[in-house]
Amino acid sequence: MPELPEVETMVRGLRPALVDQVIASVRVVDPFLLQGASAEEFERVCEGPRVVEVLRRGKWVVMVLDDRRGLIVIQPRMTGGFRLEMPDRPEHIRVVFHLEQPERAVWFCDTRRLGKVAWYADADEAERTFARSQGPDALKIALDDLSARLARTARGIKAALMDQKVLAGIGNIYADEVLFRAKVHPERPASELTPADLGRIHDAIGGVLNEAIAAEGSSFDAGYRTVLGLEGGFLTQNAVHRRQGEPCPACGEPIVKTRIPGLISRPTYFCSQCQSVNRTGGGPSGPSGRRGRDRVS
């Protein structure tokens, strides 16, 4: 957390507040999050420009500044987020962007101090960093490109989808939902997927992520809120993630919670019937295709 839908929700919330506004000053409360600059340097270079655009790259927020003043790139990571009103937990404030309009500010908060904040002199410099860290955006990747990237790895498909260098934006929640919708077992080797499997996965990526964006992301604890402090609504309508023991919406089989190689620290949720490890067709498998893996409480 946050994943692509949560960061896209952040960006959409920030645009009305930031675009065409002048950053009057910046206050770095916690220099630990800065990359490549001291607090004094970051405050100096980011003071005075107008914000031209607010963009998303994978799970990163990008503020484009005018007058060739570069870009501010923020990685929210696990518990980072923005507020347009004074946060109720001021001890979590890490950076404050004071705008030219009186008494207006944008606060970047991060409970666990895992986020990163950087300034780049130009788009080319930022693009080189993006290229080193990220594959194509999950909402933009073409089927042929996705298929080629997955064909190069024998890892389980869930681990491959969560690798930001394969494609950017998918984390634990949406990998579970994509694979359920595509009817693919999370441990199926990515390189062994059929063209039909890959087509369903590609379709499911766009469908699931866009539905989650429309719901303003997923909140299951205090780790993610919108810029107005509201909870995202996707986990009230999703199919499998965090639904252990509930009936599968497709076949009625109880949803399984387990842990899989390569993602031991993160639970995986799936339907052992609809997502049988041996299933290759488009519909649910029969009882003989069920996966005999222990459930995790």
Side-chain angles (χ1 to χ4, degrees):
M1 286 286 289
E3 303 178 30
L4 185 153
E6 289 75 45
V7 179
E8 180 66 23
T9 301
M10 291 178 195
V11 165
R12 294 184 182 190
L14 288 171
R15 281 180 184 140
L18 283 174
V19 172
D20 291 329
Q21 297 297 319
V22 172
I23 300 176
S25 64
V26 176
R27 180 167 66 94
V28 176
V29 180
D30 188 354
F32 178 78
L33 277 67
L34 293 180
Q35 289 185 315
S38 66
E40 294 76 14
E41 291 169 335
F42 187 83
E43 292 172 347
R44 176 177 53 79
V45 297
C46 296
E47 179 181 335
R50 181 174 60 90
V51 179
V52 176
E53 200 168 6
V54 182
L55 307 171
R56 178 187 56 78
R57 275 296 297 258
K59 299 181 182 181
W60 300 3
V61 176
V62 182
M63 302 179 193
V64 182
L65 310 178
D66 72 350
D67 297 331
R68 298 182 179 179
R69 295 289 291 273
L71 302 87
I72 300 169
V73 177
I74 298 178
Q75 302 176 46
R77 294 195 173 180
M78 184 69 73
T79 58
F82 297 85
R83 296 290 183 272
L84 299 184
E85 299 176 354
M86 181 64 183
D88 56 4
R89 297 290 300 273
E91 67 271 23
H92 296 159
I93 296 172
R94 307 304 173 190
V95 182
V96 186
F97 298 90
H98 294 281
L99 306 180
E100 197 170 67
Q101 288 186 344
E103 299 182 4
R104 288 200 61 186
V106 173
W107 291 266
F108 177 68
C109 304
D110 190 347
T111 306
R112 296 176 61 184
R113 303 174 74 215
L114 298 174
K116 297 297 178 184
V117 180
W119 174 82
Y120 295 93
D122 54 49
D124 289 342
E125 183 182 353
E127 189 60 41
R128 288 191 290 271
T129 300
F130 296 146
R132 287 194 297 268
S133 304
Q134 301 182 4
D137 190 274
L139 279 178
K140 298 178 180 178
I141 191 168
L143 174 57
D144 289 349
D145 192 5
L146 177 65
S147 300
R149 288 169 176 270
L150 294 177
R152 294 195 289 264
T153 177
R155 288 176 296 174
I157 180 58
K158 182 178 178 182
L161 288 178
M162 291 175 60
D163 184 343
Q164 300 304 293
K165 292 186 179 181
V166 174
L167 73 165
I170 295 179
N172 200 42
I173 295 173
Y174 301 109
D176 283 346
E177 296 299 314
V178 164
L179 292 173
F180 171 76
R181 189 167 299 191
K183 305 304 179 193
V184 174
H185 192 283
E187 291 184 84
R188 284 272 302 279
S191 58
E192 296 179 11
L193 295 171
T194 68
D197 293 328
L198 294 164
R200 292 196 308 275
I201 289 171
H202 185 263
D203 289 344
I205 288 171
V208 167
L209 294 181
N210 279 308
E211 289 173 20
I213 291 168
E216 297 194 309
S218 299
S219 296
F220 55 83
D221 57 23
Y224 165 72
R225 294 291 185 271
T226 71
V227 296
L228 297 178
L230 304 176
E231 293 187 2
F234 183 71
L235 290 182
T236 66
Q237 65 191 55
N238 71 307
V240 293
H241 191 81
R242 296 179 69 87
R243 294 192 180 276
Q244 177 191 11
E246 295 182 24
C248 168
C251 72
E253 184 80 2
I255 299 300
V256 174
K257 176 184 178 182
T258 189
R259 301 190 189 276
I260 63 176
L263 297 171
I264 297 300
S265 63
R266 301 178 186 180
T268 290
Y269 299 82
F270 72 105
C271 173
S272 60
Q273 179 162 302
C274 293
Q275 296 169 263
S276 167
V277 72
N278 297 315
R279 197 192 63 79
T280 58
S285 64
S288 62
R290 295 179 184 177
R291 177 74 166 169
R293 175 173 290 277
D294 292 337
R295 297 180 184 180
V296 176
S297 59

